[in-house]
Amino acid sequence: MSTHAYAVRVAEDPADREACFTVRKEVFVGEQGVPEDIEYDAYDAVAVHVLAVREDGVPLGTGRLLYGEAAAGKTGGDLTVGSLGRLAVTQAARGLGVGAALVRAVEDAARARGLVAVDLHAQTHALGFYERLGYVAYGPEFPDAGIPHRAMRRVL
């Protein structure tokens, strides 16, 4: 368990975005076996990415917000709802509150864009984590990259 402090910020520059992709590759491709060719998509170019970094610069986690037309396919076409996705925390940083801080940063970015709610597709093992943050599951379980998921929403 690390005792280092960390900060969460919007990933504005290319180095921050690369750090986001590095975390996603470690967690989704390396740990969970998600094929690399489906981990990265066209939405990465238009998403708001958030990044958690340790005080010494080591990336700890990431997430992204889709909004507007980019989110419409994931939110039932409702342009007032954003879509949180690609939330990943490195194994070494789990249990430090990084995931919750990233979710709140995505919600802040959604509020700043005038959105009224955030949807996400949670891996079923993570339902409790999102429920503790105020998300409510809806609809049936479905597979994504071979992993069971449920849709969830939080009104902001």
Side-chain angles (χ1 to χ4, degrees):
M1 185 111 133
S2 171
T3 58
H4 293 283
Y6 63 88
V8 177
R9 63 180 182 249
V10 172
E12 304 271 1
D13 63 46
D16 276 357
R17 284 191 171 228
E18 194 54 44
C20 292
F21 298 147
T22 297
V23 170
R24 285 169 47 185
K25 184 172 185 173
E26 177 183 330
V27 173
F28 295 127
V29 178
E31 287 181 36
Q32 297 184 350
V34 173
E36 197 164 352
D37 62 329
I38 66 170
E39 172 50 32
Y40 307 102
D41 59 27
Y43 296 118
D44 283 325
V46 298
V48 176
H49 297 268
V50 294
L51 175 66
V53 285
R54 209 167 60 189
E55 62 190 355
D56 61 2
V58 173
L60 302 177
T62 187
R64 75 177 186 186
L65 171 69
L66 300 179
Y67 61 97
E69 288 298 326
K74 298 176 181 291
T75 63
D78 187 341
L79 298 182
T80 67
V81 178
S83 176
L84 185 161
R86 303 305 201 267
L87 186 74
V89 175
T90 62
Q91 199 165 21
R94 292 180 194 149
L96 303 177
V98 173
L102 288 163
V103 170
R104 295 305 185 219
V106 166
E107 293 169 350
D108 289 345
R111 279 188 203 90
R113 285 156 181 79
L115 302 177
V116 299
V118 173
D119 274 12
L120 58 86
H121 292 163
Q123 294 182 7
T124 55
H125 72 83
L127 287 171
F129 166 77
Y130 290 111
E131 287 169 345
R132 287 188 295 278
L133 294 174
Y135 287 81
V136 178
Y138 66 90
E141 186 176 293
F142 60 92
D144 187 1
I147 300 167
H149 284 70
R150 292 272 316 272
M152 301 186 85
R153 176 172 287 186
R154 178 170 187 256
V155 175
L156 300 176

